[in-house]
Amino acid sequence: MPHELDETAALRGAGLRVTRPRVAVLRAVHDAPHADARAIVDQVRRELPAVSRQAIFDCLNTFAELGLLRRIQPAGSAARYELRVGDNHHHLVCRECGAVSDVDCSVGAAPCLEPALDPAALGPQAGGFVVDEAEVIYWGRCARCAAAAAPSPA
């Protein structure tokens, strides 16, 4: 289970009022890292049945904009949310079941990868571009799916 979360301190530190829906959304993301919005809505509504889907989406968007949580969206997948922010980590995604796992960057500090930004080749928008983050997704099969796909010994 992830580290303990002080929802009140996190919200106040971001300049937000502490409300029951905001606390419930942070707790849901804390309890289920890499959950999609549908799973977060379900979790929050178990705690606060009357909260609207839109209020939960608004919380997720606000928290992502303020850096309280990170939104990732692997190709072909719904956006997923996590509280692990600002530490230059990447993700493993299973092609079969869609499971997402964190993996620390093996290269170093952000942005950890340097693109070849040749202004002559990329046009004027590349000139002066400052990269501050690189998002890497490793695709493959999780252990469970790989084992299920392995041929049985004869």
Side-chain angles (χ1 to χ4, degrees):
M1 179 135 191
H3 65 282
E4 288 300 312
L5 173 67
D6 182 345
E7 299 92 348
T8 300
L11 290 167
R12 287 187 178 147
L16 296 172
R17 284 186 316 112
V18 178
T19 65
R20 291 181 66 209
R22 286 177 176 164
V23 168
V25 169
L26 281 178
R27 189 175 303 123
V29 174
H30 175 266
D31 292 345
H34 307 122
D36 63 17
R38 179 182 302 162
I40 294 167
V41 166
D42 291 346
Q43 178 64 28
V44 169
R45 284 189 166 164
R46 281 194 278 282
E47 183 178 336
L48 301 171
V51 71
S52 73
R53 179 180 299 274
Q54 187 61 50
I56 296 168
F57 290 158
D58 289 346
C59 286
L60 291 170
N61 288 328
T62 298
F63 296 167
E65 288 171 14
L66 294 174
L68 283 176
L69 59 74
R70 182 175 177 190
R71 177 186 8 242
I72 62 166
Q73 190 161 7
S77 174
R80 294 165 180 255
Y81 300 88
E82 65 181 343
L83 291 177
R84 189 173 170 188
V85 296
D87 68 348
N88 200 44
H89 77 280
H90 305 301
H91 296 93
L92 303 167
V93 178
C94 179
R95 291 184 188 279
E96 301 293 323
C97 70
V100 178
S101 299
D102 291 334
V103 60
D104 290 330
C105 181
S106 62
V107 177
C112 83
L113 299 173
E114 296 294 330
L117 293 176
D118 178 4
L122 297 176
Q125 68 273 19
F129 196 93
V130 178
V131 176
D132 60 19
E133 181 181 10
E135 186 171 311
V136 177
I137 297 179
Y138 299 95
W139 292 90
R141 288 193 178 118
C142 68
R144 186 182 65 211
C145 290
S152 301

